[in-house]
Amino acid sequence: MNATQANAIPSFSFHTTPRIVFCEGAAAELAYHLGTTAQDRLMIVTDPGIVALGLAEPAIASLKNAGADVRVFGEVEADPSLATLERAIAMALDFRATGVIGFGGGSSLDVAKLTALFAGSGQAIDTAWGVNNARGPRLPLALIPTTAGTGSEVTPVAIITVGEDEKRGVSSPLNLPDVAILDPLLTTGLPPHITAATGIDAMVHAIEAYASRNANNNPISRNLAVEALRLLGRNIEEAVFNGGNRAARSAMLIGSMLAGQAFANSPVAAVHALAYPIGSRFHVPHGLSNALVLPHVLRFNAADAANGSFALYAALGPHVFPGLRAEGGAQAICARFIDRLADLSARLGLKSRLRDVGITEADLPAMAADAMKQTRLLVNNPRDVGEADAYAIYKAAW
């Protein structure tokens, strides 16, 4: 094999939302950004908090002024249930919706994705779980995030809670919307604790995408992850402590979107796998669940020098923390990077121990067993994670 062959870039595919609009006030001009679709029967999928605040009212007024018939499904909860999804689909069918608009955080966007999919295709939900099992066609779909965290507006995955605590996902390019509308003005009123948790969530997406063992890890995702971390790391504290700063809010929203593009194509790994049992069993918000285990998973990965993750984390460190000292070699830089991430969560006011969110030591074995069900994520981790490893990580986080 010659040098050119040895350094060849492996084959990969990259999918993302075909049209992205970033504009202050875009939500209030939604009909303009949707074009002719705005004259149809449009269903908005959102949550009770947004309904109570009236955050979507300017968007609704824009659509109605353009001649659209609009119906609002405002029942999406955190970690949305299968029952919620089924009610949303039933409303779309009853309304004879010709398009769906997701407006809110990741939960609302995920329910919107699947409402558009199943109301459009008629496919039975149970036949679509997993990767590339969705058939389509789906209804036209627009997604409007109101948090800077999930990046759901550019990812093909939608997660639903089935039963008491089982997370199931539908992963398909059909879940990518026709257009994503990024309006930073929608995020300026987010409380500090939500800004912090969703911001850390976006950083986790970028870190895990960059170091993913997935065969589709690619140079586009890695570069997107680096830029996402640069924007997020330099702006998260300002966004948390001075929420009205539009520049910081804009940077966070774009950083979240770039991280979403990165992990949509180079999937996340053990941080998310271990976060899911925390969210599903104890109803801890997803971003905080990630923050609670992030430093402990990274330390676990970096402890095995053979997988090279310590070098990848060390390379990311200065992008997130410009003042990170570079001396001492990759392992030393990696260790400081992980410590700085843990310190950042604390400075942002996030809880730092599992016990702080009501998890007892006796809960850890069952959580470790649950984490092992997340095989689609664990296979992407730089280091193999067994049940005993998951328990040890939880114990370190407890």
Side-chain angles (χ1 to χ4, degrees), residues 180-201:
I181 307 290
L182 304 181
D183 182 352
L185 297 185
L186 296 176
T187 69
T188 56
L190 279 175
H193 70 282
I194 296 179
T195 302
T198 56
I200 293 294
D201 186 25

Side-chain angles (χ1 to χ4, degrees), residues 17-40:
T17 299
R19 182 165 166 254
I20 298 166
V21 175
F22 172 84
C23 178
E24 287 192 4
E29 300 176 341
L30 183 56
Y32 169 78
H33 293 297
L34 293 185
T36 56
T37 303
Q39 299 175 22
D40 294 326

Side-chain angles (χ1 to χ4, degrees), residues 254-278:
I254 294 175
S256 170
M257 184 269 293
L258 295 176
Q261 289 179 315
F263 91 86
N265 294 280
S266 178
V268 292
V271 176
H272 277 72
L274 271 68
Y276 278 142
I278 300 171

Side-chain angles (χ1 to χ4, degrees), residues 139-364:
L139 298 177
L141 176 65
L143 298 179
I144 307 172
T146 60
T147 64
T150 67
S152 184
E153 68 275 9
V154 290
T155 71
V157 180
I159 303 295
I160 297 295
T161 301
V162 179
E164 288 296 318
D165 54 22
E166 181 187 357
K167 300 280 191 181
R168 291 188 190 174
V170 176
S171 179
S172 167
L174 290 167
N175 282 333
L176 291 169
D178 301 292
V179 59
I181 307 290
L182 304 181
D183 182 352
L185 297 185
L186 296 176
T187 69
T188 56
L190 279 175
H193 70 282
I194 296 179
T195 302
T198 56
I200 293 294
D201 186 25
M203 294 175 75
V204 172
H205 292 155
I207 293 168
E208 291 209 287
Y210 189 86
S212 180
R213 192 169 62 179
N214 189 278
N216 202 57
N217 191 332
N218 62 85
I220 299 175
S221 286
R222 289 193 294 274
N223 279 280
L224 289 169
V226 167
E227 179 62 11
L229 287 168
R230 189 187 69 81
L231 290 169
L232 296 165
R234 287 160 171 75
N235 290 280
I236 189 169
E237 291 186 77
E238 179 67 14
V240 168
F241 297 117
N242 184 13
N245 185 322
R246 294 184 181 182
R249 290 293 192 179
S250 295
M252 293 297 293
L253 194 57
I254 294 175
S256 170
M257 184 269 293
L258 295 176
Q261 289 179 315
F263 91 86
N265 294 280
S266 178
V268 292
V271 176
H272 277 72
L274 271 68
Y276 278 142
I278 300 171
S280 59
R281 282 178 167 265
F282 302 97
H283 307 291
V284 176
H286 177 65
L288 178 56
S289 298
N290 274 332
L292 288 166
V293 296
L294 172 62
H296 308 285
V297 172
L298 298 192
R299 289 187 184 112
F300 169 81
N301 289 341
D304 181 3
N307 65 56
S309 59
F310 71 91
L312 297 175
Y313 299 151
L316 290 178
H319 295 289
V320 184
F321 304 112
L324 189 70
R325 299 196 315 276
E327 67 268 14
Q331 287 182 314
I333 299 168
C334 170
R336 288 196 293 272
F337 171 52
I338 296 171
D339 289 343
R340 291 282 295 272
L341 287 171
D343 291 343
L344 175 62
S345 290
R347 286 201 309 277
L348 296 175
L350 295 176
K351 294 175 180 178
S352 59
R353 311 295 303 183
L354 294 180
R355 68 190 73 178
D356 297 336
V357 295
I359 297 173
T360 70
E361 192 171 5
D363 293 319
L364 304 185

Side-chain angles (χ1 to χ4, degrees), residues 106-129:
S107 295
S108 292
L109 303 193
D110 281 4
V111 173
K113 289 176 179 180
L114 297 185
T115 299
L117 176 65
F118 294 121
S121 69
Q123 181 178 3
I125 296 174
D126 279 343
T127 66
W129 301 123

